[in-house]
Amino acid sequence: MGFSGHLVFARSERPLLEAPLFGSIGPGLRDDVHEWEPRPGGWQTLQLEQGVWDDEYLFTLVEWSGAPACVADVSDSSVALVTGLDTNGRRWRAWLNLDNAAALLVEEPEDVDDVSLWIATSEFEEAIGQKRAELDAEVPTDAEGALMWASAASVQATAQQPRIEELLRARKTFVEELFDALLDELGFPEAAPSAP
């Protein structure tokens, strides 16, 4: 069973959990929050179990931190929808693990009584193929949005759009690794390896 929840990435000189928006997290839910190894420059990632994060928090976090932020909505470590927001209110979105996203987003026909039978049909495979092609067509725009967002974060972006597109089309067993690789590629300083 993989991780389902949110990966929140933002910059702050103080621990992200001190942001007022996390003030409502009760002591019981605090156990559902894990801090990743911080990156230089105050960049931090929080891993929040399902039910801790609300979509409107992204705007609140950007406002509090005064810096761009993003959040990945992760499902079972196999697929994620990343949403980034900069301080000017510009937003970008991108799916990670497109094959899994296509399977998740494909709409089942109304005349299907048993979904388990439908997913074994060639029509299902065709529907996934079409959805995958739609998602793939959005990748250049998604990559451009990600690069603009990273630029707004004032990181030394050495990333090239083709490389970001390649990452957005990549497939990893654990989508969390893909999210981390995307941040690296966008030019955010890499976290120091933790001591053994």
Side-chain angles (χ1 to χ4, degrees):
M1 185 84 178
F3 165 73
S4 289
H6 294 85
L7 301 174
V8 179
F9 180 73
R11 184 176 66 197
S12 173
E13 295 310 313
R14 299 178 1 221
L16 276 185
L17 273 175
E18 291 183 12
L21 66 98
F22 293 118
S24 62
I25 297 177
L29 285 178
R30 291 247 176 209
D31 296 339
D32 294 336
V33 178
H34 307 284
E35 294 175 283
W36 285 15
E37 203 61 44
R39 292 169 178 257
W43 293 102
Q44 303 170 52
T45 304
L46 291 180
Q47 182 172 318
L48 311 172
E49 297 291 333
Q50 205 73 357
V52 178
W53 183 261
D54 199 306
D55 286 341
E56 72 234 18
Y57 289 171
L58 185 58
F59 175 79
T60 307
L61 185 59
V62 168
E63 198 172 53
W64 175 78
S65 67
C70 73
V71 62
D73 185 352
V74 179
S75 178
D76 200 22
S77 288
S78 65
V79 63
L81 176 60
V82 182
T83 304
L85 184 68
D86 69 18
T87 53
N88 294 319
R90 282 188 305 255
R91 180 182 292 263
W92 66 276
R93 291 188 126 170
W95 286 96
L96 299 179
N97 272 352
L98 293 185
D99 291 338
N100 295 346
L104 183 73
L105 296 171
V106 75
E107 294 179 28
E108 61 188 69
E110 290 180 17
D111 61 348
V112 169
D113 292 328
D114 187 344
V115 175
S116 63
L117 293 177
W118 181 60
I119 62 173
T121 66
S122 59
E123 288 84 4
F124 177 72
E125 290 302 320
E126 189 178 316
I128 285 184
Q130 286 179 326
K131 182 54 77 175
R132 173 70 166 79
E134 288 171 25
L135 293 174
D136 192 74
E138 295 169 8
V139 164
T141 304
D142 297 343
E144 187 178 345
L147 285 164
M148 288 173 56
W149 172 80
S151 176
S154 300
V155 294
Q156 295 299 317
T158 56
Q160 301 296 314
Q161 182 154 341
R163 177 65 184 132
I164 300 302
E165 290 181 24
E166 184 183 316
L167 266 176
L168 293 180
R169 290 182 171 112
R171 179 175 175 80
K172 289 259 187 198
T173 303
F174 295 101
V175 77
E176 299 91 330
E177 293 173 6
L178 204 48
F179 178 71
D180 208 33
L182 179 62
L183 294 174
D184 291 347
E185 197 63 42
L186 284 171
F188 291 92
E190 294 187 31
S194 50

